[in-house]
Amino acid sequence: MPPPIIEVRGLRKVYGGRAVVDGVSFAVEQGEIFGVLGPNGAGKTTTVECVEGLRVPDAGTVRVTGLDPVADHPRVTRVLGAQLQESELQPKLTVREALELYAAFYATPADWRPLAERLGLADKSATRFAKLSGGQKQRLFIALALIGNPRVVVLDELTTGLDPRARRDTWRLIEDVRDSGVTVLLVTHFMEEAQRLCDRIAVIDQGRVVALDTPAGLIGRTASSTVISFTPSVPLAPADLAALPRLASATEKDGRITLNGTDDTVDALLTLLARRHVTAHQLRVTDATLDDAFLDLTDTRPGHHHGAPA
């Protein structure tokens, strides 16, 4: 196996006496889309800014293609492109001028013309930045992050503020970037985005990695990986439902029952219904989503344990 293209070990960053990043560790393999999820203020952006070399860690190590983003910063900028959480350009700068300006920063930049074509900006080359739509601005920032032919690109909250269509167009662009051989480190708070795009995800909460797995793996470890809803033909005893294996929760509203559990819960429920001769009207069985897993993993209620197994 080749070495990780990004490796973070024991990363710690303190502000005002408080550790906003406290012992974060993960490795990103070449060619994958690696997601970083977490609540607001969890330390996501600080972590990736240390990867980009924009912040100096107080402890721990960060390596990008084996390089230290701080000590080897000029070399890292030649292998890593970044779209920051908050990015702006001069309002009167045209798309062409922005691409030519950024290309001038590199010894061997990508040809901005096919890059603009690939990102749907070819017909906007003379358009000023202030006149671009939100989706067009995001595509331009992706182009600027790729203009240096990087091996790694960091995208921080890329689709915030975009409408659903623009967001999905941007997702396809990210997949195209990965398919071209570029490794993507993606920071997002959109669960649907992470579930669709990411090969693996690190969930950060209160400055620490509380889970690291594939989207399916994160969903599978939640207390309620399956949701079952139905309306019984006759009432069921609460004690019968409570006895179902691996049941995480049970609610009833207007005669309709919703259960959160696992496949074992489904099997036992069907057996119970058959034994009681109960018909389950409008029975629906759906998988939990990454949103469910995220809420479970970042639940800070007293007595809750991060990533508690089902």
Side-chain angles (χ1 to χ4, degrees):
M1 290 289 292
I5 197 164
I6 298 174
E7 190 167 19
V8 178
R9 291 186 178 179
L11 181 64
R12 182 176 171 85
K13 186 66 181 176
V14 178
Y15 294 114
R18 184 176 73 89
V20 296
V21 176
D22 191 9
V24 164
S25 298
F26 60 83
V28 181
E29 304 301 329
Q30 185 169 342
E32 71 176 336
I33 299 178
F34 187 93
V36 178
L37 290 179
N40 291 335
K44 306 185 300 297
T45 293
T46 299
T47 297
V48 298
E49 286 178 346
C50 289
V51 172
E52 295 161 337
L54 299 178
R55 296 191 185 275
V56 180
D58 294 314
T61 61
V62 179
R63 296 291 183 269
V64 179
T65 66
L67 302 171
D68 184 323
V70 177
D72 303 313
H73 191 68
R75 295 172 66 190
V76 169
T77 60
R78 292 195 285 272
V79 298
L80 184 146
Q83 172 268 329
L84 305 179
Q85 187 178 65
E86 296 183 6
S87 302
E88 285 293 330
L89 295 173
Q90 289 293 330
K92 293 185 178 180
L93 199 68
T94 66
V95 169
R96 176 177 183 143
E97 289 169 342
L99 290 167
E100 290 180 337
L101 174 64
Y102 274 63
F105 298 154
Y106 300 95
T108 55
D111 186 339
W112 67 265
R113 294 168 185 81
L115 185 59
E117 180 74 33
R118 174 179 159 203
L119 293 170
L121 293 170
D123 62 345
K124 298 294 180 181
S125 62
T127 303
R128 299 185 189 275
F129 179 76
K131 298 295 184 181
L132 298 175
S133 69
Q136 290 164 349
K137 288 179 179 179
Q138 295 296 52
R139 290 199 292 274
L140 176 58
F141 288 132
I142 294 175
L144 297 178
L146 296 174
I147 198 74
N149 280 319
R151 294 177 60 191
V152 180
V153 64
V154 180
L155 305 175
D156 192 352
E157 303 288 6
L158 181 67
T159 60
T160 298
L162 299 185
D163 62 59
R165 183 179 298 280
R167 183 174 298 127
R168 281 163 176 75
D169 288 344
T170 304
W171 292 350
R172 285 191 286 271
L173 291 176
I174 295 172
E175 290 170 329
D176 288 345
V177 168
R178 187 267 311 278
D179 292 344
S180 72
V182 179
T183 301
V184 178
L185 181 59
L186 177 69
V187 182
T188 181
H189 65 267
F190 289 112
M191 299 301 114
E192 183 184 1
E193 179 169 288
Q195 188 168 346
R196 167 172 167 167
L197 295 177
C198 296
D199 298 296
R200 292 186 301 133
I201 296 169
V203 180
I204 297 179
D205 193 20
Q206 299 180 49
R208 300 187 178 193
V209 174
V210 297
L212 199 165
D213 209 334
T214 63
L218 292 175
I219 294 168
R221 72 168 67 183
T222 64
S224 54
S225 60
T226 304
V227 180
I228 313 110
S229 61
F230 64 100
T231 301
S233 56
V234 296
L236 290 169
D240 286 338
L241 294 176
L244 293 172
R246 312 293 291 277
L247 180 70
S249 66
T251 59
E252 181 178 354
K253 182 178 181 181
D254 299 328
R256 187 163 184 81
I257 296 172
T258 300
L259 308 176
N260 290 274
T262 67
D263 290 343
D264 291 341
T265 313
V266 177
D267 292 341
L269 173 66
L270 295 177
T271 299
L272 172 65
L273 294 175
R275 190 168 61 243
R276 295 283 193 271
H277 303 289
V278 175
T279 301
H281 297 291
Q282 295 179 319
L283 175 66
R284 293 182 181 176
V285 180
T286 59
D287 291 332
T289 65
L290 190 58
D291 193 72
D292 299 309
F294 178 81
L295 292 174
D296 187 58
L297 290 164
T298 60
D299 194 336
T300 57
R301 293 173 297 180
H304 180 88
H305 301 284
H306 286 309

